[in-house]
């Protein structure tokens, strides 16, 4: 199991972002984030891990703020299929039971990924080269949750990170054995297992404004256009939304143009893993929290201005469960990330106000009920 930080692959630090003019701040917790979002036809939610539900304070906060959950790790294939053909849905079932009991939805994430696979899988795929090693797994998971999970990140991170090398495809065993067709296999299997599910391609790298992100947005549109041209049942793009408070910044003009391209293709837009890395920032907590909130708000203002945006999920609701930093230097200084809406004491931070204000300022979606259905 990898730590969340190593999997994030965030880009390096750049200039600090000028503080945003202060705005009237919602009285903390007056109106829930899920209610503010739902008023505009948007689903707001968060990643959650089953062990976090044993924390009664956190388990009370989660359904107050979130209308939808996504398993942080319980639907990774190394958890679901630890041995060939031996499936363990207990972690997902725990999250689904909690969600259903609280009137929340649960998203599925991820079905096919290059990472967090069981140790046995890659060698077997490379040796047997049998597409059923992909399609049977997707079919088994989606059938198991048919009618209870209505939205999936079918393929995760098939493109190379923005600071990666030439070409678009992320090298991985799926690509080596089946070529880009592995995406077609995954989406068709998911659609056949549940024709009513919303099927999403999920990745990070379309958010910031660097030339590498320009390439990534181009590769993402090429990937989606290829799927659409081959009548592959992809219905939307998941923007993971891993932002950097003191790193590469959002370019609002470029992001808005990219979202316009997605809308023009009839694709849904979901923000699937929003958080704001505040490493390499100053030690002062207030300025870190402000920079985190400002960058999230700049991103959300653009994303929520796009009518195709249906869902905003943060990759966790509180800093309480963040892994310690990878870098020894930061570890030795006792550094603690502050990338989420609530701090470790479960108090709301400026990011929570930024989310609330972004939803308040968002345009309403005419098909509000459709957005709230999946
Ligand atoms: C990470 C989780 O946070 C970890 O707990 C888990 O061990 C590995 O996966 N992009 C993704 C997420 O799509 O699935 C990753 O989540 C973070 C990066």
């Amino acid at each position: 199991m990898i730590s969340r930080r190593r999997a994030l692959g965030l880009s390096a630090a750049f200039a600090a972002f000028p503080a945003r003019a202060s705005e009237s701040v919602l009285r903390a917790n007056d109106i829930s984030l899920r209610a503010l979002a739902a008023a505009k036809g948007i689903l707001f939610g968060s990643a959650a891990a089953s062990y976090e539900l044993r924390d009664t304070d956190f388990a009370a906060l989660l359904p107050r703020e979130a209308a939808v959950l996504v398993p942080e790790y319980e639907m990774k294939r190394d958890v679901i299929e630890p041995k060939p053909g031996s499936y363990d849905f207990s972690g997902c079932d725990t999250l689904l039971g909690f969600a259903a009991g609280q009137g929340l939805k649960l998203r599925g994430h991820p079905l096919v990924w290059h990472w967090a696979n069981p140790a046995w899988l890659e060698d077997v795929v490379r040796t047997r080269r049998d597409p059923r090693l992909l399609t049977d797994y997707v079919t088994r998971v989606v059938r198991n949750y048919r009618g209870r999970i209505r939205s999936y990140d079918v393929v995760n991170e098939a493109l190379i990170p923005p600071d990666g090398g030439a070409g678009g495809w992320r090298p991985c065993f799926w690509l080596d054995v089946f070529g880009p067709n592995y995406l077609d296999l995954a989406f068709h299997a998911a659609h056949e297992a549940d024709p009513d599910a919303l099927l999403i391609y999920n990745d990070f790298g379309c958010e910031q404004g660097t030339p590498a992100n320009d390439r990534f947005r181009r590769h993402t549109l090429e990937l989606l256009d290829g799927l659409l041209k081959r009548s592959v049942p992809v219905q939307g793009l998941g923007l993971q939304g891993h932002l950097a408070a003191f790193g590469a910044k959002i370019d609002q003009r470029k992001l808005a143009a990219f979202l316009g391209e997605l809308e023009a293709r009839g694709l849904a837009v979901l923000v699937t893993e929003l958080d704001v890395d505040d490493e390499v920032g100053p030690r002062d907590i207030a300025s870190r929290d402000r920079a985190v909130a400002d960058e999230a708000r700049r991103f959300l203002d653009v994303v929520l201005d796009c009518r195709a945006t249906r869902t905003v999920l943060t990759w966790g609701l509180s800093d309480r469960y963040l892994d310690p930093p990878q870098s020894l230097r930061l570890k030795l200084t006792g550094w603690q990330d502050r990338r989420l809406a609530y701090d470790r004491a479960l108090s709301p931070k400026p990011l929570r106000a930024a989310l609330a204000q972004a939803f308040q300022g968002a345009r309403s979606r005419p098909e509000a009920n459709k957005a709230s259905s999946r």
Side-chain angles (χ1 to χ4, degrees), residues 1-9 49 51 71-73 76 78 109-110 113 115-116 153 156-157 202 204 240 242 272-273 315 323:
M1 197 87 74
I2 54 163
S3 83
R4 63 185 296 127
R5 306 187 60 77
R6 195 157 58 245
L8 295 183
Y51 69 87
E72 180 178 345
Y73 67 88
K76 299 313 197 275
D78 60 355
H109 167 88
W113 195 23
W115 193 271
D153 292 334
N156 195 36
E157 301 181 2
N202 191 53
F204 72 94
Q240 290 187 6
H242 294 301
T272 53
E273 307 180 16
W315 200 244
D323 293 331

Side-chain angles (χ1 to χ4, degrees), residues 36-83:
L36 288 168
K40 302 301 175 72
I42 298 157
L43 270 180
F44 171 74
S46 171
S50 41
Y51 69 87
E52 296 166 352
L53 305 180
R54 295 196 289 268
D55 172 347
T56 50
D57 293 337
F58 182 75
L61 173 66
L62 200 53
R64 199 167 72 232
E65 291 284 47
V68 54
L69 301 180
V70 61
E72 180 178 345
Y73 67 88
E74 289 84 353
M75 196 178 271
K76 299 313 197 275
R77 191 164 177 172
D78 60 355
V79 175
I80 297 278
E81 194 186 8
K83 295 191 182 76

Side-chain angles (χ1 to χ4, degrees), residues 162-327:
D163 46 8
W169 298 107
R170 176 191 291 270
C172 71
F173 64 95
W174 296 122
L175 184 73
D176 289 348
V177 175
F178 303 117
N181 189 51
Y182 83 89
L183 285 89
D184 304 44
L185 293 169
F187 278 93
H188 280 303
H191 184 67
E192 280 153 33
D194 185 350
D196 298 326
L198 182 72
L199 305 181
I200 300 297
Y201 170 70
N202 191 53
D203 214 328
F204 72 94
C206 291
E207 297 87 353
Q208 284 82 6
T210 70
N213 298 105
D214 295 343
R215 280 198 304 277
F216 198 91
R217 281 183 283 270
R218 191 172 67 249
H219 288 145
T220 301
L221 290 177
E222 286 166 2
L223 178 157
L224 293 168
D225 285 340
L227 294 177
L228 294 170
K229 189 173 156 202
R230 298 191 299 275
S231 304
V232 173
V234 58
Q235 285 122 26
L237 175 68
L239 286 173
Q240 290 187 6
H242 294 301
L243 310 182
F246 303 99
K249 286 293 171 297
I250 297 298
D251 179 312
Q252 291 186 316
R253 181 186 56 76
K254 290 180 179 179
L255 182 59
F258 175 68
L259 295 175
E261 293 285 347
L262 299 174
E263 188 173 2
R265 288 162 172 79
L267 292 168
V269 174
L270 284 67
V271 174
T272 53
E273 307 180 16
L274 178 62
D275 58 17
V276 188
D277 183 356
D278 60 348
E279 280 192 16
V280 302
R283 295 209 53 89
D284 169 55
I285 294 288
S287 52
R288 281 169 59 189
D289 285 356
R290 171 47 58 210
V292 162
D294 282 348
E295 186 64 358
R297 183 70 193 274
R298 293 179 66 248
F299 174 70
L300 288 167
D301 283 352
V302 174
V303 167
L304 294 176
D305 195 44
C306 172
R307 285 183 179 80
T309 301
R310 297 184 178 192
T311 303
V312 173
L313 290 153
T314 53
W315 200 244
L317 197 59
S318 162
D319 301 333
R320 178 175 285 186
Y321 292 104
L322 292 177
D323 293 331
Q326 288 301 310
S327 99

